[in-house]
Every structure is written in C-alpha cells, then in structure tokens.
Amino acid sequence: MESLGEQVWDVLISGTGLQQSLLALALSRSGKRVLHVDKNDYYGGSDAGLSLQEAGEWVRVVNKGNFTSRISMRCAYCDLGAFRSPFSEASVTTPLQDESASLGQTSKLSFSRAYTLALSPALIYADSSLILRTLISSQIYRQLEFLAVGTWWLYKPTRSSEQRASLQRVPNGREDVFNDKSIDRRTKRALMRFLKLLVAYNSDDDIWVDHAVQPFTEFLTEQFELPAELHESLLALTLTPNSTKNVPVCVAIPRIAIHLRSIGTFGPGFGAVVAKWGGNAEIAQVACRAGAVGGGVYVLGRGISAICPSLDSVGDGPSKSLHEVELEGGEKVKARVVVGSTHDLPQHGTQAADNHITVVKSISIISSPLSSLFPVTAEGAPAPAVAVVVFPGGSIKAPTSALEIHDGPLPPVNILVHNSDTGECPRGQCILYATTTLKSPAGALYISNAISALLTSLPSSQIADSDSKTYPRPNTPSSSAPTPQILYTLSYTQHGILPSSLTSFSTPDAMDGSYPSSPLFSFPLPSLELALRNNCVEEVEKVWDGIMHSLGVESGGRFCEFTERDGGGMNEAGDEANDEDESYR
C-alpha cells in the first residue's frame, strides 16, 4: 500500500470535529485527494461522544495537559505555541458505586459502551441551515435518526417553607399562549402581538435595529408592556448562558424567532431535534463516512506536529506551492491546502478573543428516566427524547465562593435532559447535560445545587404547568420507583466562543506578508451555544469556497448539494464504506 508521504494531497484536514467533518462531506464528491487526520483515537474532536471507559481516559489526558505538552510545535513561518485544548479541569465521580449496598439502591451503572456521553450537546432547529442546506441536500440525513426535543421547563423556587419548588412549563408557541388560562387577556394580546412579530422576524426591521443593544427585559416592558413574570419564560427559549440583565435584544430576538419558526416544520408540537447515538458526534462520524466513500483517507491517533513551507510546486490554480506537514510519529506529507481548528493546528499567534467565554459543564447519569419531563407536546406529536430545564440566575443557592468572585447577577444553569431513546444510556436511566458560565470550582457546585434542586422537586405528586394542568410524577409517594439518584458525573471546563466566527488565514497578507501562497484555513474555537446556529455551516461553506478557489476549480457545484448515486444513494454508499473499512469506527 502506498504510504501517506508518497503522494501529494489536495486537502489535509486536521481534526474530526463537526465543522471539519462537514467539510469532508462537502469535499466527498469533489474528486480531490483528501487526507483527514485526528490526534485523538476517536472521531468527533470537541463534539465527541464517549463511552464511560473513553471518558475516564479523556479525563486523564485533559488533566495531564496532553494537548499542550506532548508536542513541541515547529513552523517556519508561524509564531507557534503548542496545541491548545478546549477543555480543562476534568473529573469523574461515581457517588453511588461504593455506597449502593448501604443505601439499598438497586440502580447502578451498566457496562461502559451502554453510554455515549456527548461532550458538546446541542439542539438543531428545523429551520437551521445545518438541516436544510447540509444534511438534507447532501442526502446523509438518511443515515441519521432524529429525535424530537419536547418541553422547556422553568424552575420556580419556593417562596415559603410551606411551598415546594416546582417546574413550570414554558409556552412553546402561540397555541400554548392562547390556551394558557394563567395569563390575563390584556397580557395575552400583548404577548401574541410580540410573538407574531417574531415569526416574521427580519434583522433589518427598524424595531429590532433601533433597540439592538437594549436589555431584552427592558425592551419587553417598554415596547410590549409584558409583565416581569413572563420575561424568564421568554429568556428560557434563548438558552442564553448570560444572566437575565445582560441579554440584549440582538441576542434574544433571533434565538426566540428561530425557535418559533421551527415548530411544526417536521411535525406537530416540536421545532428542534437531536441525532440519536450522541447528537453532533454521530453527525460528524456519518459525515466522515461520506468522506471515506468519496475516497478520503482517515488516520486516527496522529495529529499534526509541524507545518513548514515547501519549495516544490505542483499543478495549476492559484495555489501551486505546497505545505510540508509532519504528523505525529515523524512521517511527512505534502498538501496543497491544510484545514483545521485552533486546537488541531499549530497556533498562529494571538487572536482577538472579544467573544471568548468559558463554561463549566457536567454530564450526570441519573438512576431514573424522569418520565414526567417528557410529555407529548401536541396531538399527533412524537414522544420527545429531550427536555430542557432552565434555572434562572438566582433561583438556586449559589456557593459562598461564587458570591465572592462573581461580579454582577448570577448566570443561569441550563440543563438538557436526554432519555434512553437517544441511545446514550440504558432504559430506566437518563442523562443530564448541565452548563453554566460561573467559573470553577464555584460553577461545579452551582450546577450540583441545580441538579439536586431538580431531583428533589420530582417526588412531589404533580408538576405545575403554566395553564394549571398537571403531569403525574414517576416518583410519587405511592410509586414503587426509587428516588432519583446520581450514578455518575463527568465535570469539566470548556473554552470557546459565543457566537462562532470564522478565522481564515488564506490571504497572502494575513501574516504581515510572510504567509505562503498555499492557503491554511483555521476554524475558531467551538461555539458553546446549546443550539447550533446557522454560522456553523456558513463558516464551513466559506472554507469550502476558499479551497475550491485555491485548487483552481472554476465551478465546484453548490455546497453540499448532491444527487443520489446510481444504485441506491448515500445509504448504500455508507454501508459499503463500513464493509470496506471495518476499522473506520
């Protein structure tokens, strides 16, 4: 078999995160020679889905600083540091594994591969470009199974010792508002007028432009006379990591608008979906499979250790010179175009980080399915596999250390609850993906308090709904089911941006005139939003356009628009890929 270094690669992609994998998908019908490498032994990068055993090894690597110390980066034309990992401060706790016998608990962790823990879980709205312009147009949606995201819940803390904390159902659209008996007629008319404007949202409309930087809660009061008790429900739909007082109109409005416009697109009662078997991790792996079917070569466990310019030239087009790339282990390859992310490529100096944020996350396996969080949202709607629980800032007790170091209002804790239908845990259990911007270690304690508040609110006999309906609890006093317990928690800090933006070093003057003519494209740190935004795909398309131009392709077709292959399309191609290369997964 020909070695990697014996041929010239048109495109070398480093990292198998979602964006790199979508790029591989876009290139899969180009006829170009593509080499796709990853320093990890698994697919997905920061979007990976890990088994329990893989998660334990991942924690060891993150805490060892493996991404920042194992390789001394070298490059003839870049100001390099070392690999930067988007993760830090990782830990695993299994509170019940040693205590289950004494506590009388029958629930316990299953075998390692019964779980898929998604490091960067995110919802996909039906109206987003990832769905409409990539997964459907490229045909790979046929290899994916999508599951509905159901109810948004808002945590309502107790106001007296005689009350219990509860979860209030957030109205999911105009129909829910119309049927909500707890909202008076005057407020309902104002809210319906606001929602009607959102459905027809255009970012250039004067009402949004004139108030773009105004605090959203202030905007709701002044422009629509909406009472404060509705502000938190509307903010919950944004899934913003910021405190209520720090969310401007320009952030809140587009997020609520896409939520409303997506409802009913693929069926009644829901507007967002997740991919089964690990969410974005599964999408990335299916996209890589399409790249393999198109002739791409995949190598795991071998990242890039150095990039140097070459004096050689080859082929036609704007990019004739080559990158000489050294992979881990010392093998050198040549490529006309190199693409990666800021933590998969040698660093290019210090970039502006105005939109950089750090979040604390936890992934908790719960001993109960928490079935009452997943009511069917409308007649004819599918059974949801995901629920969203939002804890507004200040609704739960914050650690004393947080109050000492945090300046300003406390941020919310957002929790995505995945049941076993997602394929991420065994039946009878569920997974809580919790996120907050409160810095660690206070952030981890803050999340722990939120999860405890959620679980202790469940044994009550009913859950409050905004229209006074109630839903039976799986763990009522009359139920034989045990009180929900935390079986396992993976905690970590993740570094990223909000929102995502493209960083491209494809122009000759991008490095003060010292950059070679062969282009190098770098995706930014990952977006830490809990719903994928359109710019995720827009960034990939910009890089794809740049690659096509660099390789002298006059017309590379339309981005990710594929026709079916003869004899069955992408599904059969995907199956063929697995038959030809059993080591792919």
Side-chain angles (χ1 to χ4, degrees), residues 148-391:
V149 178
T151 302
W152 262 246
W153 301 99
L154 187 69
Y155 180 78
K156 307 295 287 187
T158 179
R159 295 177 182 242
S160 69
S161 58
E162 299 178 357
Q163 294 179 322
R164 293 188 65 93
S166 62
L167 298 179
Q168 177 178 295
R169 185 177 180 181
V170 176
N172 205 31
R174 288 187 290 176
E175 184 177 348
D176 283 352
V177 173
F178 181 79
N179 294 324
D180 195 327
K181 298 178 181 179
S182 68
I183 305 176
D184 63 70
R185 290 185 178 181
R186 183 171 179 271
T187 301
K188 189 174 293 187
R189 284 196 297 269
L191 182 55
M192 294 290 276
R193 181 167 64 93
F194 172 67
L195 297 180
K196 184 177 180 180
L197 277 175
L198 282 181
V199 171
Y201 166 75
N202 185 318
S203 60
D204 294 329
D205 290 346
D206 290 343
I207 188 171
W208 314 126
V209 174
D210 295 344
H211 300 275
V213 297
Q214 184 179 14
F216 182 59
T217 53
E218 184 181 296
F219 172 77
L220 292 176
T221 301
E222 293 182 359
Q223 299 297 317
F224 297 91
E225 298 182 349
L226 291 175
E229 55 265 26
L230 289 178
H231 295 178
E232 288 182 344
S233 292
L234 290 169
L235 279 165
L237 298 178
T238 70
L239 290 177
T240 176
N242 299 319
S243 63
T244 300
K245 294 182 179 179
N246 294 334
V247 180
V249 169
C250 63
V251 169
I253 293 300
R255 287 155 176 75
I256 301 175
I258 193 172
H259 176 93
L260 295 175
R261 287 202 303 260
S262 295
I263 294 173
T265 299
F266 295 138
F270 72 99
V273 296
V274 298
K276 190 173 182 178
W277 310 115
N280 297 338
E282 180 68 5
I283 296 175
Q285 190 154 250
V286 168
C288 287
R289 185 183 303 127
V293 170
V297 175
Y298 282 78
V299 180
L300 295 183
R302 295 178 67 186
I304 294 176
S305 60
I307 304 177
C308 298
S310 172
L311 298 179
D312 298 334
S313 62
V314 64
D316 299 321
S319 178
K320 296 183 180 180
S321 59
L322 299 173
H323 292 291
E324 185 176 72
V325 179
E326 182 178 325
L327 303 179
E328 295 177 39
E331 184 172 11
K332 294 183 179 181
V333 299
K334 293 180 180 180
R336 298 172 67 182
V337 178
V338 178
V339 186
S341 68
T342 55
H343 52 273
D344 288 304
L345 293 174
Q347 298 304 300
H348 309 282
T350 302
Q351 301 173 22
D354 293 339
N355 57 352
H356 177 270
I357 64 169
T358 297
V359 300
V360 174
K361 292 186 173 184
S362 77
I363 304 174
S364 297
I365 301 172
I366 306 301
S367 65
S368 164
L370 305 186
S371 303
S372 58
L373 295 179
F374 302 92
V376 175
T377 53
E379 184 177 355
V386 177
V388 180
V389 182
V390 175
F391 290 78

Side-chain angles (χ1 to χ4, degrees), residues 16-267:
T16 55
L18 181 61
Q19 289 187 307
Q20 293 105 307
S21 299
L22 291 176
L23 178 62
L25 169 65
L27 293 169
S28 64
R29 300 285 186 92
S30 67
K32 301 302 179 183
R33 295 180 295 274
V34 178
L35 174 61
H36 201 162
V37 303
D38 196 314
K39 62 179 179 283
N40 300 305
D41 293 325
Y42 50 82
Y43 289 90
S46 61
D47 298 294
L50 306 176
S51 67
L52 298 186
Q53 182 177 347
E54 289 169 336
E57 174 62 17
W58 178 82
V59 168
R60 186 191 68 79
V61 170
V62 168
N63 291 336
K64 186 180 179 181
N66 200 24
F67 295 128
T68 58
S69 63
R70 67 176 175 174
I71 298 173
S72 175
M73 307 301 279
R74 306 181 303 281
C75 183
Y77 51 80
C78 295
D79 177 19
L80 298 182
F83 278 129
R84 290 184 300 176
S85 171
F87 301 104
S88 62
E89 301 174 284
S91 65
V92 168
T93 57
T94 53
L96 288 183
Q97 297 310 292
D98 297 328
E99 305 174 25
S100 58
S102 61
L103 293 174
Q105 297 293 332
T106 57
S107 296
K108 61 180 181 179
L109 290 175
S110 185
F111 59 94
S112 172
R113 291 202 171 274
Y115 302 90
T116 301
L117 308 183
L119 295 179
S120 300
L123 315 180
I124 304 173
Y125 280 110
D127 197 44
S128 72
S129 60
L130 177 60
I131 291 285
L132 298 178
R133 295 181 54 207
T134 307
L135 302 184
I136 292 179
S137 62
S138 68
Q139 310 291 318
I140 71 162
Y141 73 94
R142 298 178 177 181
Q143 298 178 55
L144 295 163
E145 181 177 350
F146 290 103
L147 306 168
V149 178
T151 302
W152 262 246
W153 301 99
L154 187 69
Y155 180 78
K156 307 295 287 187
T158 179
R159 295 177 182 242
S160 69
S161 58
E162 299 178 357
Q163 294 179 322
R164 293 188 65 93
S166 62
L167 298 179
Q168 177 178 295
R169 185 177 180 181
V170 176
N172 205 31
R174 288 187 290 176
E175 184 177 348
D176 283 352
V177 173
F178 181 79
N179 294 324
D180 195 327
K181 298 178 181 179
S182 68
I183 305 176
D184 63 70
R185 290 185 178 181
R186 183 171 179 271
T187 301
K188 189 174 293 187
R189 284 196 297 269
L191 182 55
M192 294 290 276
R193 181 167 64 93
F194 172 67
L195 297 180
K196 184 177 180 180
L197 277 175
L198 282 181
V199 171
Y201 166 75
N202 185 318
S203 60
D204 294 329
D205 290 346
D206 290 343
I207 188 171
W208 314 126
V209 174
D210 295 344
H211 300 275
V213 297
Q214 184 179 14
F216 182 59
T217 53
E218 184 181 296
F219 172 77
L220 292 176
T221 301
E222 293 182 359
Q223 299 297 317
F224 297 91
E225 298 182 349
L226 291 175
E229 55 265 26
L230 289 178
H231 295 178
E232 288 182 344
S233 292
L234 290 169
L235 279 165
L237 298 178
T238 70
L239 290 177
T240 176
N242 299 319
S243 63
T244 300
K245 294 182 179 179
N246 294 334
V247 180
V249 169
C250 63
V251 169
I253 293 300
R255 287 155 176 75
I256 301 175
I258 193 172
H259 176 93
L260 295 175
R261 287 202 303 260
S262 295
I263 294 173
T265 299
F266 295 138

